[in-house]
Amino acid sequence: DSLKTSACPSSCQYQKSPQPFAGAKQRCHGYRVRLLWLLILLWTVEGISQTWDDNWGETTTAVTGTSEHSLSQEDIVRISKDLDDSVGLDCKRYLNVALSVILGLVVFLTPLAFLILPHLLWPDRLRACGTACEGLFISVAFKLLILLLAVWALFFRPPRAGLPRIFVFRALLATLVLLFVLSYWLFYGVRILDSQDEDYQGIVQYAVSLVDALLFIHYLAIVLLELRQLQPFFSLCVTRSTDGATQHYNLGQLSIQRAAVVILENYYKDFPVHNPALLTASKSRAAKHLAGLKVYNVDGPGENNAAAGIAQSQSRAMIAAAARRRDSSHNELYYEEAEHERRVRKRRARLVVAVEEAFTHIRRMQEEEQKKAPGDVMDPREAAQAIFPSMARALQKYLRTTRQQHLHSMESIQQHLAFSITNNMTPKAFLESYLTTGPTLQYGKDRWLARQWTLISEASVTSGLKDGTVFLLKCIDFSLVVTTKKIPYIQLAEEFIDPKSHKFMLRLQSETSV
C-alpha cells in the first residue's frame, strides 16, 4: 500500500486514517519520526526480499504541502546523516574502547585466577610450594608487569582518526587472544578444576606458559601493526582537485583507509591552505567574455516549430563570436596578470615600510621603558594594540589584493604581533606569515574548510594498496585524488675495476723542456 502524508503545521495524517489530530508541534514531530522509521523499515524489507519494483520510490504518490514543518526526502537523508555523524561515530569509538578494556582485563586476570582458584576450592589437598615454585611467582609478576606496559604503549594510544571500517589486523589479533584464552580456560577446567589437581607447582608453570604465550602474541602484534609498514612499497601521488597542488608520499603495505589517514595527516602540514578566492579569477574572466556577447533576433518572435532552429543559430553565433575573440583573450590575460602583479608588489612594498616603521617605534619605546620604573613597563599585548593602527590599512589592502583577507582576522593578527614583540622577532619574521602562503595547520581550525572527509574507493577500504589503485578523499569544497604506483624493483650490478689499471708511466724524451 502506498503511504500518503499531508504536511501541515497543525496535523499529520495517514491515508487510511484521515482524522486530523490536535495541532501540537511535538505530537506532529512524533508522527513524523514514526513515519521516518516506517520508511526505513520498508526500504529494508525491499532490500531483503527484492520482490518489489526497483523503481517503487518513483511510482509512490505523496501529497506534500508548503508548510515550514513539512518532511521531505532531503530531510530524511539529512536527519539520517546527522544521526550517523553525531551518535554513530561516538558510539563506535567508545564501543571499541570498552571492548578493548574488557578483553585486556580478561587477559590479565586469567593467570591470577589460575593461581588463586586452587587455594579457594581445595586448599587442604594442595602440595607445598617449594623454592622453584616461589621463584615462578616472581617470574609471573614481572612478566605481567612488562606485558601491561607493552599493551598500554601499543594499544591504548589516543586515536588519530576515525576509520570507516575495522582495522583487520587488530581485529584478528583480538580474536586470536580471545580464542587463546578460552582454550586455556577450557583445558584448565577439564584437567585441573574437575580433577582438583594437587600439584600446585604444575599449576603455576601452566600460568607461566600462558603469560609467555601472551608475550609472544604481543611481539606478533608489533610486527603486524608497526614493523610491516615501515619499508616503502608504493609511491602515492596526491592532487588537489581545485588548484592542482600535488605532493608525493612513499608508503608501505597499508590498507586503503590507513593510507588515507596518513595522507590527511601529511596534507595539513605539506599542502598550502585552500583558498577558494583565488579560483574565482578565471571564472569571472570567462563570465566577462560571455557577457560581452549578445544575440539579437531581427525577425521578431517566430512560430513554435522554429524555436529549435533559432536556438541552434544563436548557439552557433555565440561560438563563432567566441572563436573570433580567442585571438585577443591571451593578451587580455597577460596584461591582467601583469597589472595584478604590479599591484601586489606595490602594496607589498607599502606594507613592508609600514611594518618596519612600526617595529622601529617599538624599539624606541622599549629603550624609553628601560629608563622607567618596573611598574610602568608596557605589556606586549598593549604595545601590539598601540602600533597596529599604523600598519592596519597597508596590511588590509595587501590581504585584499592577494585574496587572503578571510584567512586572517584582526584578533589573530594582533596576537601574532604580540607574539613577535614578546620573542623579539624582526619585521621580516612577522610578515612571513602574510607574504607567503603557509600550510593548513598554520591557520585556525575555522579556516581549514575541511574537517570531515569522505573516502571514495572502488576497492574495499580494508584491502591493501596495489599498483594502479585510485581513491578520493572528499570534503565540502574540494577533493584529494590519490593515485598509487608501485616502487620499481632496483637491480644493482657490481663492476670490478682493477687498481692497477689506473697506473700509467710517463716517459720523457731528452729533447723535451720539462
Side-chain angles (χ1 to χ4, degrees), residues 59 78 91 102 111 234 245 330 351 355 417 460 508:
T59 57
R78 179 179 54 81
C91 292
I102 293 174
F234 301 96
H330 66 279
L351 176 61
V355 172
L417 181 59
S460 176
L508 300 177

Side-chain angles (χ1 to χ4, degrees), residues 495-502:
E495 182 179 355
F496 177 74
I497 300 178
D498 190 3
K500 297 181 180 180
S501 63
H502 297 286

Side-chain angles (χ1 to χ4, degrees), residues 140-213:
V140 170
F142 277 99
K143 287 179 181 179
L144 284 178
L145 179 60
I146 294 173
L147 184 61
L148 176 63
L149 295 177
V151 170
W152 170 78
L154 182 61
F155 293 103
F156 289 93
R157 291 178 291 183
R160 299 179 299 174
L163 301 179
R165 298 292 181 91
I166 62 173
F167 190 3
V168 177
F169 284 129
R170 191 163 182 172
L172 290 177
L173 289 171
T175 306
L176 177 62
V177 170
L178 182 60
L179 294 177
F180 191 77
V181 173
L182 290 178
S183 62
Y184 259 78
W185 269 111
L186 182 61
F187 186 84
Y188 185 83
V190 173
R191 299 299 300 271
I192 297 177
L193 292 180
D194 291 346
S195 62
Q196 295 185 356
D197 192 358
E198 300 177 359
D199 187 9
Y200 190 68
Q201 184 175 356
I203 298 175
V204 175
Q205 291 178 350
Y206 183 73
V208 171
S209 67
L210 172 61
V211 179
D212 292 338

